[in-house]
Amino acid sequence: MELESENREFGPQPLGDILAAKGLQNHDLVAASTEQLTHKMVSKAVRGRFVSSRIRQKILRALNIATGEVYTLQQLFTY
């Protein structure tokens, strides 16, 4: 049985640029999160691999906590 191949690679995301500009690492988001957020989830999101909307929301909330600023999903992801 052959599965339909979907393009699930979206290239580097703005999230990576925001983390770099703020001097943050993936670990900082994991540490700031009050939810079950893993290093693997954050790494995939930064690289541009598709992550579910639930994971994107977790990353958004962790980034807002870590930076003390308010970001939107549109500022972090291009998909």
Side-chain angles (χ1 to χ4, degrees):
M1 184 169 161
E2 191 173 318
L3 296 176
E4 255 184 59
S5 65
E6 296 179 28
N7 184 12
R8 300 183 67 79
E9 298 286 344
F10 297 94
Q13 296 296 300
L15 171 62
D17 296 333
I18 292 170
L19 290 176
K22 299 292 180 183
L24 298 173
Q25 300 292 320
N26 294 356
H27 177 74
D28 298 317
L29 292 187
V30 175
S33 179
T34 58
E35 305 170 81
Q36 290 185 335
L37 183 66
T38 66
H39 292 87
K40 186 175 183 177
M41 291 174 184
V42 177
S43 177
K44 285 172 68 173
V46 169
R47 284 193 328 262
R49 180 86 173 138
F50 179 81
V51 292
S52 70
S53 61
R54 183 171 287 181
I55 294 172
R56 289 193 300 262
Q57 289 289 335
K58 287 181 181 185
I59 291 170
L60 172 65
R61 288 189 289 270
L63 180 65
N64 287 342
I65 291 169
T67 62
E69 298 179 28
V70 178
Y71 290 96
T72 64
L73 285 176
Q74 293 76 22
Q75 291 174 293
L76 305 183
F77 301 99
T78 59
Y79 59 93

